[in-house]
Amino acid sequence: MAELTTTARPYARAAFELARAEGQLDVWAQALSLLAAVCSDNKIAGLINSPSLTAAGKSDLLKNLCGDALGQKQQNFVSTLADNKRLSLLPEVNRLFLSFKAECDKTIDVEVSTAFEMSPEWQAKLASALSSKLACQVSLTTQLDKSLLGGALIRAGDTVIDGSVKGRLAKLAAAMHA
């Protein structure tokens, strides 16, 4: 996974910088999301990785599947990826592009796992507190996880805050065995 991210990052960064310079972040985000979805299909992934197709054939295949959803610059981007044998990176390029866009927009997706249902008031308070702490707009999603016993497990990008009873018990057990 780290190698995939390392290889995809320059392409994602180049697409992001071009899109930002032209004020086309949303257009590029939609195009890359579509390309990533198309490339995630097993049949298309097989064709992209097939040695029997040329780079031009692979890029033409993707361009035709996406139709008018791709502008000229996105089509050129697909051709560049194909020429460099990097079309299989499109899902990771999309993921990185969206993370660069979120960072630029000062937004972050936060996933909160709790043992019990959170009321809308508590969700709003938590989102407000996290917005202050992370200095960006928070988009909060919640899910139930009965195995946590109580408390919450919060994931915001690379940051994980484990305030669950299960996590605290695990830390206590580790401390007792140390």
Side-chain angles (χ1 to χ4, degrees):
M1 178 69 172
E3 184 177 317
L4 184 67
T5 300
T6 301
T7 308
R9 187 174 290 115
Y11 295 100
R13 178 63 69 186
F16 174 77
E17 293 300 333
L18 175 64
R20 185 171 61 173
E22 295 180 346
Q24 299 284 313
L25 285 174
D26 290 333
V27 172
W28 274 85
Q30 290 174 353
L32 288 173
S33 292
L34 174 62
L35 285 164
V38 169
C39 289
S40 295
D41 180 81
N42 290 337
K43 289 181 182 178
I44 303 303
L47 289 171
I48 288 172
N49 294 319
S50 171
S52 63
L53 280 177
T54 64
K58 292 174 185 180
S59 67
D60 288 343
L61 171 72
L62 281 178
K63 292 175 197 175
N64 290 333
L65 287 172
C66 293
D68 295 336
L70 300 181
Q72 187 59 48
K73 293 196 176 174
Q74 289 91 16
Q75 290 181 18
N76 292 345
F77 185 71
V78 169
S79 296
T80 300
L81 288 173
D83 291 342
N84 293 313
K85 297 178 175 55
R86 299 289 193 235
L87 286 174
S88 61
L89 294 176
L90 273 166
E92 185 65 13
V93 168
N94 178 54
R95 187 189 70 75
L96 289 167
F97 182 92
L98 293 176
S99 72
F100 294 151
K101 183 178 181 299
E103 185 178 314
C104 179
D105 293 342
K106 297 274 187 205
T107 61
I108 190 165
D109 293 327
V110 176
E111 181 183 307
V112 180
S113 300
T114 58
F116 302 99
E117 190 73 36
M118 283 181 67
S119 69
E121 296 83 27
W122 275 104
Q123 289 181 28
K125 285 181 182 180
L126 180 59
S128 176
L130 288 171
S131 290
S132 300
K133 181 80 171 165
L134 300 172
C136 60
Q137 183 64 35
V138 170
S139 174
L140 195 71
T141 57
T142 61
Q143 67 182 26
L144 289 177
D145 183 355
K146 297 287 186 185
S147 71
L148 295 177
L149 305 175
L153 181 64
I154 302 169
R155 289 184 184 90
D158 292 339
T159 303
V160 177
I161 303 168
D162 189 353
S164 67
V165 173
K166 180 181 179 181
R168 290 179 186 175
L169 288 172
K171 288 178 190 173
L172 180 62
M176 290 176 66
H177 289 109

